[in-house]
Amino acid sequence: MMGSEKIMTNWATEELKYIDLGDRRRHIRLIKMVSDLAAQPNASVPQASGDWAGTQGAYDFWSNKRVKAEKIRCAHQKSTLERVLKHQTIVVSQDTSELNFSHHNSKKGMGHLDNKNCRGLKIHSVFCVSPQGVPLGVLHQQVWARDMKKIGKKHSRNKKEIKEKESQRWLKSLSITEEVIPEKVRVVTVADREADIYEFLAAPRQVNSELLIRAHHNRLVKKEKSMEKLKTAIAAEAKVGETSLELHRTPSRDSRICHLTLRQMSVELQPPQTHINYNDLKPIPIQVILAEEENPPRGEKPISWLLLTTLKINDFNDVIQCLRWYSYRWLIERYHYVLKSGCGE
């Protein structure tokens, strides 16, 4: 066995040491498959498997009804938790993506995607990162197919309870995160604008469980004794400082250094007036951070992050730390990109 192949096999063996597929032969096959595919991530299954026996073994494994994806994810989750417990604080990113299989006409059980003309699966992941930005693994994952009969019924969402909506995925993932990670570890859940949901921000949380969410809605807030819109209120705050941040490459931009002007305030976030249970809802005490790029390079869209957090902000260093932790969100986007590539999307 060549050196690189041996390293991959050792890594796969260690990462999946908690696997229980009911048969040691399945365990051995899984280790070989993971090792082969990790060694050649850009290769097809036949190329990565090396020979026909390996290729057939991989396809037989995937078609085996005794092999459950949840058991494989559970084994990885336990290894992830081992790494998580080595830290006093971890950043947990939640994000939703989709697997577009519109060009795979033979696949069954597919649902509609954000583009109603496309077919595939939705996927919501919980990805753990150290305070220094080192990936620790996937803690939880939800995969589902949307009901084709519900196409065109978006307008009725305000009339439904959160438990009846697809957005329940954010609360479910938060609940599972708190369930499996002990309270001695501080967990900072980071998410993009899709997670700017009143119920998510207002959800009861365990001690040491905090939120850091990018704002989407220009909600009404109570600032001292006056009511204002969120964006108006934060724009009126004095600058607390400036910083530079490295932006990683995405499909829509190249990597670059951006220079940000920072503002911060504490407010009470008011419940949305269109909410079905508006009269029973209470304001949410929240910290707000605005990081703006005032002079972006020519041709570049300026960076503007409006963040909501339950973390205490006592000084400028706390603001910088929140920005750094939010910047780690690109890691879960990169994970989804690699996942979709591997799924042949």
Side-chain angles (χ1 to χ4, degrees):
M1 181 180 292
M2 297 176 64
S4 60
E5 293 177 345
K6 185 175 182 180
I7 290 172
M8 286 298 180
T9 300
N10 291 341
W11 168 81
T13 301
E14 177 63 21
E15 185 65 24
L16 296 170
K17 61 188 176 185
Y18 295 112
I19 195 69
D20 181 10
L21 298 176
D23 189 316
R24 178 167 173 75
R25 291 171 297 179
R26 296 184 200 122
H27 186 173
I28 294 172
R29 173 56 63 184
L30 176 62
I31 297 297
K32 184 180 187 309
M33 288 169 52
V34 171
S35 301
D36 289 344
L37 294 169
Q40 301 183 68
N42 295 323
S44 64
V45 172
Q47 290 172 331
S49 299
D51 55 33
W52 174 245
T55 302
Q56 188 62 48
Y59 290 134
D60 288 345
F61 181 90
W62 286 326
S63 62
N64 191 329
K65 294 183 179 180
R66 296 184 180 88
V67 176
K68 304 298 182 183
E70 186 57 36
K71 288 194 174 184
I72 300 174
R73 283 197 292 262
C74 183
H76 171 64
Q77 182 197 69
K78 289 181 179 179
S79 293
T80 297
L81 283 171
E82 284 188 349
R83 293 185 284 271
V84 164
L85 293 176
K86 294 177 182 178
H87 301 273
Q88 294 180 334
T89 298
I90 63 159
V91 178
V92 175
S93 293
Q94 287 195 37
D95 193 36
T96 305
S97 189
E98 56 187 28
L99 303 175
N100 188 342
F101 294 123
S102 299
H103 53 294
H104 292 263
N105 296 326
S106 62
K107 286 190 180 296
K108 298 180 180 179
M110 301 293 102
H112 70 90
L113 302 179
D114 291 348
N115 180 336
K116 65 180 182 180
N117 296 316
C118 294
R119 301 292 176 261
L121 301 171
K122 298 293 289 185
I123 181 170
H124 188 80
S125 303
V126 180
F127 192 80
C128 298
V129 181
S130 79
Q132 294 75 37
V134 178
L136 302 176
V138 178
L139 191 70
H140 177 65
Q141 199 166 70
Q142 303 172 58
V143 181
W144 69 98
R146 284 172 167 167
D147 188 344
M148 296 293 293
K149 296 178 182 178
K150 294 183 179 180
I151 292 179
K153 297 186 177 180
K154 251 185 179 180
H155 62 278
S156 63
R157 287 186 302 182
N158 288 339
K159 300 177 182 179
K160 295 181 179 180
E161 299 282 355
I162 185 68
K163 62 184 179 181
E164 300 173 354
K165 299 179 183 180
E166 196 175 74
S167 50
Q168 172 67 21
R169 66 190 185 275
W170 301 96
L171 285 84
K172 179 179 178 180
S173 294
L174 176 62
S175 176
I176 290 175
T177 298
E178 294 182 342
E179 179 183 324
V180 299
I181 298 178
E183 288 189 21
K184 66 179 182 179
V185 179
R186 181 171 65 160
V187 174
V188 181
T189 294
V190 172
D192 207 352
R193 286 174 283 202
E194 276 192 278
D196 183 9
I197 303 166
Y198 174 84
E199 289 90 344
F200 188 48
L201 295 167
R205 289 172 284 105
Q206 292 182 356
V207 176
N208 252 358
S209 177
E210 306 289 356
L211 301 177
L212 179 57
I213 309 299
R214 188 171 178 183
H216 173 63
H217 302 288
N218 191 20
R219 300 187 190 278
L220 193 66
V221 300
K222 185 176 182 181
K223 182 181 175 183
E224 297 177 349
K225 294 184 179 180
S226 63
M227 291 289 189
E228 300 178 64
K229 286 292 187 175
L230 174 62
K231 293 181 180 179
T232 302
I234 189 65
E237 289 290 323
K239 299 176 183 179
V240 297
E242 298 180 354
T243 190
S244 295
L245 195 68
E246 180 182 2
L247 296 178
H248 294 273
R249 182 175 61 84
T250 71
S252 60
R253 69 159 188 258
D254 293 329
S255 61
R256 64 182 175 89
I257 301 295
C258 66
H259 303 283
L260 301 172
T261 298
L262 308 177
R263 291 177 169 83
Q264 184 269 329
M265 66 179 183
S266 299
V267 297
E268 285 189 345
L269 207 63
Q270 303 303 300
Q273 295 180 351
T274 57
H275 198 285
I276 188 173
N277 297 317
Y278 173 74
N279 293 329
D280 299 323
L281 305 181
K282 297 180 180 180
I284 306 169
I286 207 88
Q287 309 296 317
V288 184
I289 297 170
L290 177 60
E292 284 188 306
E293 189 178 25
E294 296 182 340
N295 298 296
R298 176 177 289 184
E300 294 284 352
K301 184 179 179 180
I303 297 301
S304 180
W305 290 350
L306 181 57
L307 305 179
L308 308 174
T309 184
T310 59
L311 288 159
K312 292 182 180 179
I313 299 179
N314 298 313
D315 53 32
F316 179 73
N317 290 331
D318 290 340
V319 174
I320 295 298
Q321 182 169 263
C322 285
L323 290 176
R324 184 180 301 114
W325 285 346
Y326 181 77
S327 73
Y328 295 163
R329 219 191 64 79
W330 77 276
L331 290 166
I332 193 170
E333 290 184 340
R334 199 63 188 166
Y335 162 71
H336 279 154
Y337 173 81
V338 174
L339 179 64
K340 290 194 285 186
S341 298
C343 287
E345 193 239 53

